Short mmCIF file of all heavy atoms in Angstrom, two decimals:
data_model
loop_
_atom_site.label_atom_id
_atom_site.label_comp_id
_atom_site.label_asym_id
_atom_site.label_seq_id
_atom_site.Cartn_x
_atom_site.Cartn_y
_atom_site.Cartn_z
N GLY A 1017 -2.03 0.83 9.34
CA GLY A 1017 -3.35 0.81 8.57
C GLY A 1017 -3.52 2.06 7.66
O GLY A 1017 -4.60 2.21 7.14
N ARG A 1018 -2.48 2.94 7.57
CA ARG A 1018 -2.66 4.15 6.79
C ARG A 1018 -2.24 3.84 5.36
O ARG A 1018 -1.35 3.12 5.05
CB ARG A 1018 -1.78 5.27 7.39
CG ARG A 1018 -2.36 5.85 8.57
CD ARG A 1018 -1.55 7.00 9.09
NE ARG A 1018 -1.12 7.91 8.09
CZ ARG A 1018 0.15 8.43 8.00
NH1 ARG A 1018 0.96 8.18 8.97
NH2 ARG A 1018 0.41 9.24 7.01
N ALA A 1019 -2.95 4.49 4.38
CA ALA A 1019 -2.49 4.42 2.94
C ALA A 1019 -1.50 5.45 2.75
O ALA A 1019 -1.49 6.51 3.43
CB ALA A 1019 -3.69 4.74 2.09
N VAL A 1020 -0.55 5.24 1.85
CA VAL A 1020 0.54 6.11 1.62
C VAL A 1020 0.53 6.41 0.07
O VAL A 1020 1.00 5.63 -0.77
CB VAL A 1020 1.94 5.60 1.94
CG1 VAL A 1020 3.00 6.52 1.62
CG2 VAL A 1020 1.94 5.23 3.45
N PRO A 1021 -0.12 7.52 -0.31
CA PRO A 1021 -0.15 7.83 -1.80
C PRO A 1021 1.20 8.16 -2.30
O PRO A 1021 1.98 8.91 -1.66
CB PRO A 1021 -1.10 9.13 -1.83
CG PRO A 1021 -1.77 9.11 -0.54
CD PRO A 1021 -0.88 8.49 0.50
N LEU A 1022 1.55 7.64 -3.47
CA LEU A 1022 2.86 7.77 -4.07
C LEU A 1022 2.74 8.11 -5.57
O LEU A 1022 1.75 7.71 -6.14
CB LEU A 1022 3.79 6.59 -3.91
CG LEU A 1022 4.20 6.10 -2.50
CD1 LEU A 1022 4.83 4.82 -2.55
CD2 LEU A 1022 5.07 7.14 -1.99
N THR A 1023 3.71 8.79 -6.04
CA THR A 1023 3.83 8.93 -7.51
C THR A 1023 4.88 7.99 -7.96
O THR A 1023 5.91 7.91 -7.40
CB THR A 1023 4.23 10.36 -7.87
OG1 THR A 1023 3.11 11.27 -7.39
CG2 THR A 1023 4.28 10.52 -9.50
N TRP A 1024 4.63 7.17 -8.95
CA TRP A 1024 5.59 6.20 -9.46
C TRP A 1024 5.51 6.12 -10.98
O TRP A 1024 4.45 6.31 -11.56
CB TRP A 1024 5.30 4.73 -8.91
CG TRP A 1024 6.51 4.05 -8.66
CD1 TRP A 1024 7.06 3.06 -9.54
CD2 TRP A 1024 7.43 4.07 -7.57
NE1 TRP A 1024 8.19 2.65 -8.96
CE2 TRP A 1024 8.47 3.24 -7.75
CE3 TRP A 1024 7.36 4.92 -6.39
CZ2 TRP A 1024 9.47 3.05 -6.83
CZ3 TRP A 1024 8.40 4.65 -5.52
CH2 TRP A 1024 9.36 3.80 -5.75
N SER A 1025 6.65 6.00 -11.59
CA SER A 1025 6.65 5.93 -13.06
C SER A 1025 6.17 4.67 -13.66
O SER A 1025 6.35 3.56 -13.11
CB SER A 1025 8.13 6.04 -13.52
OG SER A 1025 8.25 5.85 -14.92
N VAL A 1026 5.47 4.72 -14.76
CA VAL A 1026 5.05 3.63 -15.58
C VAL A 1026 5.93 3.51 -16.76
O VAL A 1026 5.50 2.77 -17.75
CB VAL A 1026 3.50 3.70 -15.91
CG1 VAL A 1026 2.70 3.67 -14.58
CG2 VAL A 1026 3.21 4.92 -16.68
N GLY A 1027 7.03 4.08 -16.73
CA GLY A 1027 7.96 3.94 -17.95
C GLY A 1027 7.40 4.59 -19.22
O GLY A 1027 6.70 5.64 -19.11
N SER A 1028 7.58 4.03 -20.26
CA SER A 1028 7.09 4.50 -21.56
C SER A 1028 5.65 4.10 -21.91
O SER A 1028 5.14 4.42 -22.92
CB SER A 1028 8.03 4.13 -22.70
OG SER A 1028 8.06 2.72 -22.86
N ARG A 1029 5.07 3.23 -21.01
CA ARG A 1029 3.74 2.68 -21.32
C ARG A 1029 2.74 3.88 -21.31
O ARG A 1029 2.73 4.63 -20.36
CB ARG A 1029 3.38 1.64 -20.38
CG ARG A 1029 2.06 1.00 -20.60
CD ARG A 1029 1.79 -0.12 -19.68
NE ARG A 1029 0.60 -0.78 -20.15
CZ ARG A 1029 0.44 -2.10 -20.31
NH1 ARG A 1029 1.41 -2.90 -19.98
NH2 ARG A 1029 -0.71 -2.57 -20.67
N ARG A 1030 1.87 3.90 -22.24
CA ARG A 1030 0.85 4.98 -22.31
C ARG A 1030 -0.56 4.47 -22.48
O ARG A 1030 -1.45 5.26 -22.54
CB ARG A 1030 1.20 5.83 -23.50
CG ARG A 1030 2.50 6.54 -23.41
CD ARG A 1030 2.47 7.53 -22.28
NE ARG A 1030 3.71 8.10 -22.03
CZ ARG A 1030 4.50 7.97 -20.96
NH1 ARG A 1030 4.05 7.17 -19.98
NH2 ARG A 1030 5.66 8.54 -20.81
N GLY A 1031 -0.78 3.20 -22.41
CA GLY A 1031 -2.09 2.68 -22.58
C GLY A 1031 -2.35 1.36 -21.81
O GLY A 1031 -1.47 0.80 -21.26
N GLY A 1032 -3.65 1.05 -21.72
CA GLY A 1032 -4.00 -0.21 -21.08
C GLY A 1032 -4.17 -0.15 -19.57
O GLY A 1032 -4.36 -1.18 -18.91
N MET A 1033 -3.92 0.99 -18.94
CA MET A 1033 -4.03 1.17 -17.53
C MET A 1033 -5.15 2.21 -17.22
O MET A 1033 -5.40 3.14 -17.95
CB MET A 1033 -2.77 1.75 -16.94
CG MET A 1033 -1.53 0.85 -17.08
SD MET A 1033 -0.02 1.59 -16.70
CE MET A 1033 0.20 2.89 -17.99
N SER A 1034 -5.96 1.81 -16.18
CA SER A 1034 -7.17 2.61 -15.85
C SER A 1034 -7.15 2.90 -14.28
O SER A 1034 -6.65 2.07 -13.59
CB SER A 1034 -8.41 1.96 -16.21
OG SER A 1034 -8.41 1.75 -17.60
N VAL A 1035 -7.81 3.93 -13.92
CA VAL A 1035 -8.13 4.22 -12.49
C VAL A 1035 -8.80 2.93 -11.95
O VAL A 1035 -9.66 2.41 -12.56
CB VAL A 1035 -9.01 5.45 -12.34
CG1 VAL A 1035 -9.47 5.57 -10.91
CG2 VAL A 1035 -8.31 6.67 -12.74
N GLY A 1036 -8.36 2.53 -10.75
CA GLY A 1036 -8.91 1.37 -10.14
C GLY A 1036 -8.10 0.05 -10.46
O GLY A 1036 -8.33 -0.98 -9.79
N ASP A 1037 -7.13 0.08 -11.40
CA ASP A 1037 -6.35 -1.14 -11.68
C ASP A 1037 -5.44 -1.36 -10.51
O ASP A 1037 -5.02 -0.44 -9.83
CB ASP A 1037 -5.61 -0.98 -13.02
CG ASP A 1037 -6.39 -1.10 -14.24
OD1 ASP A 1037 -7.55 -1.55 -14.19
OD2 ASP A 1037 -5.86 -0.76 -15.31
N ARG A 1038 -5.17 -2.65 -10.29
CA ARG A 1038 -4.34 -3.04 -9.20
C ARG A 1038 -2.91 -2.89 -9.55
O ARG A 1038 -2.47 -3.14 -10.71
CB ARG A 1038 -4.60 -4.50 -8.86
CG ARG A 1038 -4.00 -5.08 -7.64
CD ARG A 1038 -4.90 -4.62 -6.52
NE ARG A 1038 -4.46 -5.44 -5.31
CZ ARG A 1038 -4.07 -4.93 -4.15
NH1 ARG A 1038 -3.96 -3.54 -3.99
NH2 ARG A 1038 -3.73 -5.66 -3.12
N VAL A 1039 -2.03 -2.49 -8.55
CA VAL A 1039 -0.61 -2.26 -8.90
C VAL A 1039 0.24 -2.87 -7.64
O VAL A 1039 -0.19 -2.76 -6.56
CB VAL A 1039 -0.33 -0.85 -9.16
CG1 VAL A 1039 -0.66 0.10 -8.01
CG2 VAL A 1039 1.12 -0.61 -9.60
N PHE A 1040 1.35 -3.47 -7.97
CA PHE A 1040 2.20 -3.99 -7.00
C PHE A 1040 3.66 -3.32 -7.18
O PHE A 1040 3.99 -3.13 -8.36
CB PHE A 1040 2.39 -5.45 -7.00
CG PHE A 1040 1.06 -6.22 -6.67
CD1 PHE A 1040 0.17 -6.55 -7.62
CD2 PHE A 1040 0.88 -6.54 -5.31
CE1 PHE A 1040 -0.94 -7.21 -7.26
CE2 PHE A 1040 -0.21 -7.24 -4.96
CZ PHE A 1040 -1.21 -7.54 -5.94
N LEU A 1041 4.35 -3.00 -6.18
CA LEU A 1041 5.72 -2.44 -6.26
C LEU A 1041 6.75 -3.54 -5.94
O LEU A 1041 6.75 -4.12 -4.83
CB LEU A 1041 5.79 -1.27 -5.24
CG LEU A 1041 7.27 -0.66 -5.17
CD1 LEU A 1041 7.61 -0.10 -6.59
CD2 LEU A 1041 7.22 0.49 -4.15
N LEU A 1042 7.58 -3.90 -6.95
CA LEU A 1042 8.57 -4.90 -6.76
C LEU A 1042 9.91 -4.27 -6.59
O LEU A 1042 10.39 -3.59 -7.44
CB LEU A 1042 8.59 -5.85 -7.97
CG LEU A 1042 9.65 -6.83 -8.07
CD1 LEU A 1042 9.53 -7.87 -6.97
CD2 LEU A 1042 9.66 -7.56 -9.36
N ARG A 1043 10.56 -4.50 -5.41
CA ARG A 1043 11.88 -3.98 -5.19
C ARG A 1043 12.82 -5.15 -5.83
O ARG A 1043 12.88 -6.25 -5.56
CB ARG A 1043 12.30 -4.00 -3.71
CG ARG A 1043 13.66 -3.51 -3.46
CD ARG A 1043 13.97 -3.52 -1.94
NE ARG A 1043 13.63 -4.65 -1.32
CZ ARG A 1043 13.17 -4.79 -0.08
NH1 ARG A 1043 12.98 -3.75 0.66
NH2 ARG A 1043 12.92 -5.94 0.46
N GLN A 1044 13.71 -4.58 -6.71
CA GLN A 1044 14.74 -5.40 -7.36
C GLN A 1044 16.03 -5.36 -6.47
O GLN A 1044 16.16 -4.44 -5.77
CB GLN A 1044 15.09 -4.97 -8.70
CG GLN A 1044 13.85 -4.93 -9.69
CD GLN A 1044 13.51 -6.21 -10.22
OE1 GLN A 1044 14.06 -7.24 -9.91
NE2 GLN A 1044 12.53 -6.21 -11.17
N ASP A 1045 16.90 -6.21 -6.63
CA ASP A 1045 18.27 -6.18 -5.95
C ASP A 1045 18.33 -7.43 -5.07
O ASP A 1045 17.60 -8.33 -5.20
CB ASP A 1045 18.50 -4.88 -5.23
CG ASP A 1045 19.95 -4.61 -4.97
OD1 ASP A 1045 20.79 -5.19 -5.67
OD2 ASP A 1045 20.28 -3.79 -4.20
N SER A 1046 19.24 -7.27 -4.14
CA SER A 1046 19.55 -8.55 -3.29
C SER A 1046 18.32 -8.87 -2.31
O SER A 1046 18.18 -9.97 -1.93
CB SER A 1046 20.78 -8.29 -2.45
OG SER A 1046 20.60 -7.19 -1.64
N ASP A 1047 17.54 -7.87 -1.97
CA ASP A 1047 16.36 -8.11 -1.16
C ASP A 1047 15.10 -8.06 -1.92
O ASP A 1047 14.11 -7.46 -1.55
CB ASP A 1047 16.29 -7.06 0.01
CG ASP A 1047 17.37 -7.11 1.03
OD1 ASP A 1047 17.87 -8.35 1.24
OD2 ASP A 1047 17.87 -6.14 1.51
N ARG A 1048 15.07 -8.79 -3.05
CA ARG A 1048 14.03 -8.70 -4.09
C ARG A 1048 12.75 -9.20 -3.37
O ARG A 1048 12.74 -10.26 -2.73
CB ARG A 1048 14.32 -9.66 -5.18
CG ARG A 1048 13.35 -9.52 -6.34
CD ARG A 1048 13.78 -10.38 -7.41
NE ARG A 1048 13.21 -9.91 -8.68
CZ ARG A 1048 13.41 -10.35 -9.80
NH1 ARG A 1048 14.18 -11.39 -9.95
NH2 ARG A 1048 12.84 -9.83 -10.84
N ALA A 1049 11.67 -8.36 -3.46
CA ALA A 1049 10.37 -8.76 -2.89
C ALA A 1049 9.34 -7.74 -3.34
O ALA A 1049 9.64 -6.57 -3.74
CB ALA A 1049 10.49 -8.66 -1.39
#
Side-chain angles (χ1 to χ4, degrees):
R1018 289 185 38 224
V1020 178
L1022 295 172
T1023 300
W1024 213 264
S1025 173
V1026 294
S1028 60
R1029 186 175 185 132
R1030 296 292 174 248
M1033 297 172 289
S1034 300
V1035 170
D1037 284 349
R1038 191 79 164 123
V1039 60
F1040 292 89
L1041 177 58
L1042 172 66
R1043 178 182 52 215
Q1044 304 279 7
D1045 202 19
S1046 60
D1047 293 327
R1048 186 178 205 179

